[in-house]
Amino acid sequence: MKLHPQFPQPPRLAKYPDTCQPNFKNSTPMILDPNDAAAFLEGYKSVLLEIDRQSPGKQQLELVETLVAARSKYFADRSLLDSALAALSGKSPALSEEIVSAIRGLELKHWIYLRDTRSHSIFMDPDAEVAYGVVGLTNRIRDIIGGSGASIQTAITPYRGHYVCDGLISSVAWLGPNYKRSFNNDLARIRALGQFHKTPAG
């Protein structure tokens, strides 16, 4: 089922921190462990900024817009990751294989962010064939966009035992009641087929 919202909302982007130090002490439901989040943010941000640095004809943008533009370039040409990693090789802090694997595993789509449970947000792929239980990095996804029940463009990846949203969210289009009802029916079918995944392990 394709979504064709009549009144898409303006882009909304997560507030990426200028420094990637965790600013809370304990893990919170629907949010990644703060130390794991800080490690991912540091590595992901350095890779995207390096992709931007190597890009010809780049524009002067705000930080988050720069990261979103670099992510789009990466998904248009996956080889840019290897070029960025080569340039960052030997620099401190070094990127772990786990972070590199998470970046390689990113899936950028117009996800259906249906609703929240106590532990995760439910993301469905736009073809309604598979769904995931997703957590945020340093913010709940509903706090980034102001609610749930929307089509959003973002990337998710398996990392540290969770499916994680990369926090760069744009193209928000709120779902009306009929769409929500339809997607909830799709979710029930997906669950029955065993295609709803709460964690990368199952």
Side-chain angles (χ1 to χ4, degrees), residues 133-191:
V134 178
V135 299
L137 286 168
T138 60
N139 301 91
R140 298 185 306 170
I141 294 145
R142 68 179 299 116
D143 293 335
I144 297 173
I145 69 170
S148 62
S151 169
I152 60 176
Q153 185 178 44
T154 192
I156 69 172
T157 190
Y159 174 65
R160 288 294 173 100
H162 299 277
Y163 288 104
V164 180
C165 173
D166 75 347
L168 302 173
I169 299 174
S170 60
S171 302
V172 177
W174 298 105
L175 304 177
N178 290 336
Y179 276 124
K180 288 182 180 179
R181 188 177 306 111
S182 177
F183 284 127
N184 274 305
N185 290 336
D186 287 332
L187 179 63
R189 173 179 52 80
I190 288 169
R191 287 183 186 274

Side-chain angles (χ1 to χ4, degrees), residues 78-99:
R78 289 280 192 158
S79 69
L80 293 178
L81 175 58
D82 293 320
S83 299
L85 292 175
L88 294 170
S89 178
K91 294 185 178 179
S92 181
L95 270 71
S96 70
E97 286 299 321
E98 186 179 27
I99 299 296

Side-chain angles (χ1 to χ4, degrees), residues 32-73:
L32 196 64
D33 174 87
N35 293 316
D36 293 343
F40 179 85
L41 282 167
E42 188 70 41
Y44 189 39
K45 181 178 171 183
S46 66
V47 166
L48 292 181
L49 290 177
E50 181 59 30
I51 289 174
D52 176 71
R53 189 190 69 79
Q54 295 182 16
S55 300
K58 61 182 180 180
Q59 298 177 320
Q60 293 296 323
L61 302 171
E62 296 294 329
L63 173 62
V64 176
E65 293 172 327
T66 297
L67 297 176
V68 170
R71 183 184 65 180
S72 295
K73 292 171 185 175

